[in-house]
Every structure is written in structure tokens, then in C-alpha cells.
Amino acid sequence: MGVCACPGCEHQVSSEHAAITEGRAYCCTACAAGHPAGMECIHEGCACNELNRPPAGEDVLEEPSNTQF
């Protein structure tokens, strides 16, 4: 299936763990989702974990709260 489309990830996409988003193949759901809340790639130590981590000090909200409006 080729190399993962996630920036910084150079792992091959296996059919066992493949996640397809917008026609692009990713090695895992974390990569396909853009590493929400710092979710890590299934490959330990992968460079994409650091490249796609939210900036330090930035709050990552799961759902909007009433205080935001």
C-alpha cells in the first residue's frame, strides 16, 4: 500500500492496520486523524509523533463547552 501519508512517518502501510482518509493511506488511525490530543503512532519512536504534536501549552478540547461561546 506504500508509505504512510502522515508527515514525518516513513512506515509502510500494512493492510492489517491501514486507515484510509480522503483517499490517502495511513499506517494507523492516529496518523489518519492527524494525531488528535497528541495520540501516538502505533510505531514506537516514530518521528511523526513529535512533528504532529499540538504546540506546548495549547489546550486540546474534545468537545466544545458552553464557556467557549
Side-chain angles (χ1 to χ4, degrees), residues 6-10 34-35 38-39 45-55:
C6 179
C9 188
E10 298 193 4
H35 298 273
M39 181 186 289
C46 186
C48 72
N49 291 329
E50 291 302 318
L51 287 173
N52 297 292
R53 191 171 307 285

Side-chain angles (χ1 to χ4, degrees), residues 2-67:
V3 176
C4 182
C6 179
C9 188
E10 298 193 4
H11 292 279
Q12 290 292 318
V13 178
S14 70
S15 57
E16 181 182 336
H17 295 286
I20 310 296
T21 301
E22 297 179 2
R24 299 176 79 189
Y26 296 86
C27 69
C28 64
T29 56
C31 286
H35 298 273
M39 181 186 289
E40 296 206 350
C41 178
I42 61 169
H43 300 100
E44 275 191 55
C46 186
C48 72
N49 291 329
E50 291 302 318
L51 287 173
N52 297 292
R53 191 171 307 285
E58 182 178 303
D59 290 334
V60 179
L61 300 174
E62 295 295 319
E63 293 183 31
S65 67
N66 289 336
T67 59

